[in-house]
Amino acid sequence: MTEASIRPAEQTDAVPLGAALGDQRYFEDRLTRQAKGLGVLFTAWRGRTPVGALYLWLEDAEEPPIRGHLPGVPLLTHLEVLPDQRNRGIGAALVRAVERHLADHGHARGALAVRTDNTRAARLYRRLGYRDWGHGTVVCYSERTLPDGRTVSEPERCHVLVKGLPPVIRQR
């Protein structure tokens, strides 16, 4: 099996992302935000098939506690890898690609929220150097699109994790 290639999404990726990972409206929304400079949708591909995605949220955090304690810190959100592609390094590769992007753009830290019951994802993030932010858990909201097209927002209790990023050393 070939290694997955990681790249920022393009507008034409909305349909294949939606078909492979579900919730096409989510991907359309993130691509619209990306076009406005509000974030970057990173994608993982095996050939022409999307196998994972991770959105880099560059707007202020929606959750008041995160916004208050981590003003201006970009958030890694909605990491998703197809079930049959998990445990192959794709999630870690997506996170590292986002971290490189952040460091290249002068950010000193990145943060993320992970559901308190998602121990597998938390283990991955800790292995990659993310640490508890020290301000307790936060209620985050997950949006999903119902089969009839309506969007619902569901509360989730989350741990917030933060990682300092090494500065980029520019060659002269």
Side-chain angles (χ1 to χ4, degrees):
M1 173 105 19
T2 61
E3 190 170 312
S5 62
I6 310 292
R7 65 169 173 79
E10 301 168 358
Q11 288 296 332
T12 56
D13 294 335
V15 171
L17 286 167
L21 299 169
D23 205 347
Q24 185 167 333
R25 281 189 172 181
Y26 168 81
F27 292 109
E28 290 170 352
D29 174 74
R30 293 312 185 254
L31 285 165
T32 297
R33 289 174 186 274
Q34 178 174 290
K36 294 176 181 177
L38 301 173
V40 182
L41 178 60
F42 285 82
T43 56
W45 300 76
R46 288 202 188 277
R48 294 180 162 188
T49 304
V51 295
L54 173 59
Y55 184 70
L56 174 59
W57 184 275
L58 297 173
E59 302 175 67
D60 288 336
E62 295 177 305
E63 300 82 358
I66 299 174
R67 192 171 50 247
H69 290 291
L70 298 172
V73 175
L75 301 171
L76 288 72
T77 66
H78 199 85
L79 173 61
E80 183 176 4
V81 176
L82 288 175
D84 68 342
Q85 297 294 313
R86 292 180 185 157
N87 299 311
R88 298 178 184 201
I90 295 169
L94 282 162
V95 170
R96 288 185 188 111
V98 169
E99 291 172 352
R100 278 190 302 277
H101 176 87
L102 287 172
D104 287 347
H105 288 84
H107 294 279
R109 295 186 294 173
L112 55 87
V114 59
R115 281 191 343 254
T116 56
D117 65 346
N118 193 347
T119 56
R120 291 182 73 193
R123 194 169 38 248
L124 167 67
Y125 298 135
R126 289 188 199 319
R127 194 178 82 236
L128 294 174
Y130 286 82
R131 300 293 176 250
D132 187 86
W133 75 330
H135 301 286
T137 59
V138 173
V139 175
C140 297
Y141 290 88
S142 173
E143 289 189 356
R144 67 182 174 97
T145 305
L146 299 174
D148 66 6
R150 291 181 299 132
T151 302
V152 295
S153 183
E154 301 170 327
E156 303 174 329
R157 175 106 0 229
C158 295
H159 295 290
V160 177
L161 307 176
V162 181
K163 180 178 179 179
L165 304 171
V168 173
I169 299 171
R170 307 263 182 225
Q171 299 292 331
R172 290 183 177 216

